[in-house]
Amino acid sequence: MVAPLYKLHCLLKRAQMLLLCLGIAYLMAGSILLLQRSSIRVAQPNLASLPPLLSLAAPPTALRTTGLGVRARSRWATIQAVSGGGAKAGRHWPASRSLGVQHLHRRWFHSLLPESPEQRVSLHRNSRHKGTYIGCFLHNASDRALGGTMLYDLRKMTSSLCQDTCSESGYQFAGLEYGAECHCGNRISSPRAPEEDCSLVCRGERGSPCGGVGRLSIYKVEEQLPGHRKFRNVHYRGCFKLLKSTIVTFPIDSFQPNLTTQSCIETCTDKELPLAVFKRPHCFCTWTSSLFSLTQQSDNQQCVENAALNHTTTSAPSASTERDHYQVYHTPVLDSRCKERMFLPQRSSSLVALSSFPGAGNTWVRHLIELVTGYYTGSFYFDGTLYNRGFKGEKDYWKSGRSICVKTHESGQKEIEMFDSAILLIRNPYRSLMAEFNRKCAGHLGHATDAQWKSKDWPEFVSSYAPWWASHALSWLKFGRRLLVVHYEELQRALLPQLRLITAFLNVTMTEERLLCAQSNQDGHFKRSGALRPSFDPFTPDMRQIIDSFIHTVDQALQSRNFSGLPQEYLPR
């Protein structure tokens, strides 16, 4: 009798110890998850020299999100990426200058994404990319392999996508890091690394090397014949009268007897310089500066006359006069002074909204604000597509106080009063409705088909969303505490003056150089092309009558609050 009791006693003791160990393991696992999901405070560099920011109190409130529907008018969120990682996962993404900490953050976030055994690429394998694989190179804070522009796509990055992006931006090399980040450049400025360090494959493509931690898998993109390269983000800056003593200080002076605008832009793009200064037969390349501000701009006719004079002169070019007129172009190269972005160095107790009706250009304005201030913008929602394209504030909790402003489409009194101040972005309702319908039908960069415009969904969409366009603006005018009204069309017409107003409202000090280099990359990678439109006018006379009445109502409300009225182009149509 004693022996069975003793065995039972020993079994119970072992069971107690087992339960105790399991309990401890459970608590430890829960603590680790809690630490990962909470904000991690890291040492910050000396930031005393950074500009002051608003510091106002924001009342507590809960984040509310619901799915999109045709008739959903508030608290709507794009949640298509939740299944791949979750809106909550990685909600707090701390800013850190420490490369080691950044690597830990990246390891943890990418561990949330699905990974198969094929994710590890066999080294030296012939892959299906278009260009030539060069090798694995160091890419960290001290050794930057490629210094050009960057593109993020944490779910669909491929070597072809990266190479196409770099080629269209005028670069010869494309480098992929950590399976999701694309870097471009025209020269490789770091030493090689062991091939086994670049053992990750691209998230959207198996079989191609796609970098590692602080390592780039670099490809030489397909070469195109001179004069046949197609660039994005090439803008004519204007005609400027410059001193000869200033011109000789530019880092590149290329003499080309048969110089063309295209060849000059190609020359400066290859040299990774953002400005091409052009006067036959000389092509100068330089950085953006206050020399090329709007106040210094000359009449374009001066440059046209100079070009005609040079073209008719058959003798050797004479010495330049003390002052001469030059045509200036922005190349696709993004100035290094506006590439770096970060979260606010100190958490702000003030919440600034960037509020707009859907389709009013909120994403484009966020891109401009991030370029001109260097700080990430946040969002009341979570849009995985935007996060994957570089808007890192999408995953940060909107009340964290680490973003310069927060995107929202809310129009209820409670939601409006959560914010201490707001930039109210207003766009022509006809254009806004079409842009939002395009997004719902074909995503951020796509266009609806003629069949979709002719379907019953379009009239239902207009009847639901057109009143929302008016109520959104009216609600913010009524309940907003401190407002800056920005019209999308004015931002297009006078970009620099409008950006100055926005940054002054955000209480951010910026340099003229950063403002100018933001202008050179104003379109970015997330602005829908306006080339494809429906082959007919989708607005019926009844629709126009309703929308025009809303335009008049909002115009009167703006003027009653001492704001300028809506642009004249809104009416008549």
mmCIF file of all heavy atoms in Angstrom, residues 154-171:
data_model
loop_
_atom_site.group_PDB
_atom_site.id
_atom_site.type_symbol
_atom_site.label_atom_id
_atom_site.label_comp_id
_atom_site.label_asym_id
_atom_site.label_seq_id
_atom_site.Cartn_x
_atom_site.Cartn_y
_atom_site.Cartn_z
ATOM 1 N N LEU A 154 7.890 45.738 -49.381
ATOM 2 C CA LEU A 154 8.184 44.660 -48.451
ATOM 3 C C LEU A 154 7.471 43.359 -48.790
ATOM 4 O O LEU A 154 7.630 42.377 -48.077
ATOM 5 C CB LEU A 154 7.834 45.091 -47.032
ATOM 6 C CG LEU A 154 8.630 46.294 -46.514
ATOM 7 C CD1 LEU A 154 8.246 46.616 -45.096
ATOM 8 C CD2 LEU A 154 10.123 46.040 -46.607
ATOM 9 N N ARG A 155 6.660 43.337 -49.846
ATOM 10 C CA ARG A 155 5.962 42.104 -50.180
ATOM 11 C C ARG A 155 6.165 41.668 -51.631
ATOM 12 O O ARG A 155 6.041 40.495 -51.927
ATOM 13 C CB ARG A 155 4.458 42.242 -49.902
ATOM 14 C CG ARG A 155 4.192 42.539 -48.448
ATOM 15 C CD ARG A 155 2.778 42.181 -48.045
ATOM 16 N NE ARG A 155 2.615 42.453 -46.626
ATOM 17 C CZ ARG A 155 2.986 41.635 -45.660
ATOM 18 N NH1 ARG A 155 3.518 40.480 -45.955
ATOM 19 N NH2 ARG A 155 2.832 41.953 -44.391
ATOM 20 N N LYS A 156 6.442 42.588 -52.527
ATOM 21 C CA LYS A 156 6.482 42.231 -53.936
ATOM 22 C C LYS A 156 7.766 42.669 -54.624
ATOM 23 O O LYS A 156 7.801 42.804 -55.849
ATOM 24 C CB LYS A 156 5.276 42.835 -54.666
ATOM 25 C CG LYS A 156 3.941 42.341 -54.154
ATOM 26 C CD LYS A 156 2.782 42.979 -54.914
ATOM 27 C CE LYS A 156 1.437 42.507 -54.367
ATOM 28 N NZ LYS A 156 0.298 43.136 -55.093
ATOM 29 N N MET A 157 8.822 42.909 -53.873
ATOM 30 C CA MET A 157 10.064 43.358 -54.486
ATOM 31 C C MET A 157 10.672 42.244 -55.337
ATOM 32 O O MET A 157 10.761 41.085 -54.917
ATOM 33 C CB MET A 157 11.059 43.796 -53.416
ATOM 34 C CG MET A 157 12.400 44.251 -53.976
ATOM 35 S SD MET A 157 12.239 45.650 -55.108
ATOM 36 C CE MET A 157 11.796 46.946 -53.956
ATOM 37 N N THR A 158 11.085 42.597 -56.543
ATOM 38 C CA THR A 158 11.787 41.683 -57.440
ATOM 39 C C THR A 158 13.002 42.397 -57.996
ATOM 40 O O THR A 158 13.081 43.628 -57.987
ATOM 41 C CB THR A 158 10.888 41.233 -58.608
ATOM 42 O OG1 THR A 158 10.602 42.359 -59.440
ATOM 43 C CG2 THR A 158 9.586 40.621 -58.117
ATOM 44 N N SER A 159 13.944 41.620 -58.513
ATOM 45 C CA SER A 159 15.129 42.237 -59.107
ATOM 46 C C SER A 159 14.755 43.042 -60.344
ATOM 47 O O SER A 159 15.331 44.099 -60.612
ATOM 48 C CB SER A 159 16.149 41.151 -59.469
ATOM 49 O OG SER A 159 15.614 40.253 -60.422
ATOM 50 N N SER A 160 13.748 42.576 -61.097
ATOM 51 C CA SER A 160 13.319 43.315 -62.288
ATOM 52 C C SER A 160 12.691 44.650 -61.911
ATOM 53 O O SER A 160 12.945 45.671 -62.565
ATOM 54 C CB SER A 160 12.323 42.475 -63.101
ATOM 55 O OG SER A 160 12.931 41.306 -63.596
ATOM 56 N N LEU A 161 11.844 44.654 -60.877
ATOM 57 C CA LEU A 161 11.225 45.899 -60.424
ATOM 58 C C LEU A 161 12.283 46.899 -59.997
ATOM 59 O O LEU A 161 12.223 48.086 -60.343
ATOM 60 C CB LEU A 161 10.267 45.619 -59.264
ATOM 61 C CG LEU A 161 9.683 46.838 -58.537
ATOM 62 C CD1 LEU A 161 8.849 47.684 -59.491
ATOM 63 C CD2 LEU A 161 8.851 46.407 -57.339
ATOM 64 N N CYS A 162 13.264 46.439 -59.253
ATOM 65 C CA CYS A 162 14.328 47.327 -58.787
ATOM 66 C C CYS A 162 15.141 47.860 -59.968
ATOM 67 O O CYS A 162 15.439 49.055 -60.046
ATOM 68 C CB CYS A 162 15.220 46.580 -57.800
ATOM 69 S SG CYS A 162 16.528 47.597 -57.077
ATOM 70 N N GLN A 163 15.473 46.991 -60.913
ATOM 71 C CA GLN A 163 16.262 47.428 -62.060
ATOM 72 C C GLN A 163 15.495 48.411 -62.930
ATOM 73 O O GLN A 163 16.058 49.397 -63.411
ATOM 74 C CB GLN A 163 16.689 46.210 -62.885
ATOM 75 C CG GLN A 163 17.711 45.329 -62.176
ATOM 76 C CD GLN A 163 18.081 44.113 -63.007
ATOM 77 O OE1 GLN A 163 18.507 44.248 -64.147
ATOM 78 N NE2 GLN A 163 17.906 42.924 -62.451
ATOM 79 N N ASP A 164 14.207 48.154 -63.145
ATOM 80 C CA ASP A 164 13.395 49.078 -63.946
ATOM 81 C C ASP A 164 13.314 50.442 -63.274
ATOM 82 O O ASP A 164 13.410 51.484 -63.930
ATOM 83 C CB ASP A 164 11.990 48.508 -64.150
ATOM 84 C CG ASP A 164 11.976 47.327 -65.100
ATOM 85 O OD1 ASP A 164 12.953 47.161 -65.850
ATOM 86 O OD2 ASP A 164 10.994 46.559 -65.082
ATOM 87 N N THR A 165 13.120 50.440 -61.950
ATOM 88 C CA THR A 165 13.032 51.700 -61.212
ATOM 89 C C THR A 165 14.329 52.485 -61.331
ATOM 90 O O THR A 165 14.315 53.698 -61.587
ATOM 91 C CB THR A 165 12.708 51.427 -59.735
ATOM 92 O OG1 THR A 165 11.463 50.740 -59.646
ATOM 93 C CG2 THR A 165 12.619 52.730 -58.954
ATOM 94 N N CYS A 166 15.449 51.806 -61.146
ATOM 95 C CA CYS A 166 16.736 52.498 -61.221
ATOM 96 C C CYS A 166 17.036 52.975 -62.635
ATOM 97 O O CYS A 166 17.563 54.069 -62.837
ATOM 98 C CB CYS A 166 17.848 51.577 -60.723
ATOM 99 S SG CYS A 166 17.738 51.166 -58.957
ATOM 100 N N SER A 167 16.670 52.169 -63.628
ATOM 101 C CA SER A 167 16.914 52.561 -65.018
ATOM 102 C C SER A 167 16.103 53.796 -65.383
ATOM 103 O O SER A 167 16.625 54.739 -65.996
ATOM 104 C CB SER A 167 16.556 51.401 -65.950
ATOM 105 O OG SER A 167 16.706 51.779 -67.307
ATOM 106 N N GLU A 168 14.812 53.819 -64.976
ATOM 107 C CA GLU A 168 13.961 54.966 -65.286
ATOM 108 C C GLU A 168 14.400 56.218 -64.534
ATOM 109 O O GLU A 168 14.094 57.332 -64.947
ATOM 110 C CB GLU A 168 12.507 54.634 -64.953
ATOM 111 C CG GLU A 168 11.905 53.594 -65.883
ATOM 112 C CD GLU A 168 10.514 53.179 -65.448
ATOM 113 O OE1 GLU A 168 10.041 53.702 -64.423
ATOM 114 O OE2 GLU A 168 9.907 52.336 -66.124
ATOM 115 N N SER A 169 15.089 56.013 -63.413
ATOM 116 C CA SER A 169 15.581 57.157 -62.655
ATOM 117 C C SER A 169 16.981 57.570 -63.085
ATOM 118 O O SER A 169 17.588 58.447 -62.473
ATOM 119 C CB SER A 169 15.574 56.822 -61.151
ATOM 120 O OG SER A 169 14.249 56.581 -60.708
ATOM 121 N N GLY A 170 17.513 56.899 -64.109
ATOM 122 C CA GLY A 170 18.782 57.323 -64.679
ATOM 123 C C GLY A 170 20.006 56.671 -64.085
ATOM 124 O O GLY A 170 21.121 57.151 -64.303
ATOM 125 N N TYR A 171 19.845 55.561 -63.354
ATOM 126 C CA TYR A 171 20.985 54.924 -62.692
ATOM 127 C C TYR A 171 21.437 53.673 -63.438
ATOM 128 O O TYR A 171 20.660 53.014 -64.128
ATOM 129 C CB TYR A 171 20.619 54.561 -61.258
ATOM 130 C CG TYR A 171 20.357 55.765 -60.378
ATOM 131 C CD1 TYR A 171 19.058 56.147 -60.063
ATOM 132 C CD2 TYR A 171 21.406 56.521 -59.886
ATOM 133 C CE1 TYR A 171 18.812 57.250 -59.260
ATOM 134 C CE2 TYR A 171 21.173 57.636 -59.085
ATOM 135 C CZ TYR A 171 19.872 57.986 -58.777
ATOM 136 O OH TYR A 171 19.629 59.091 -57.995
#
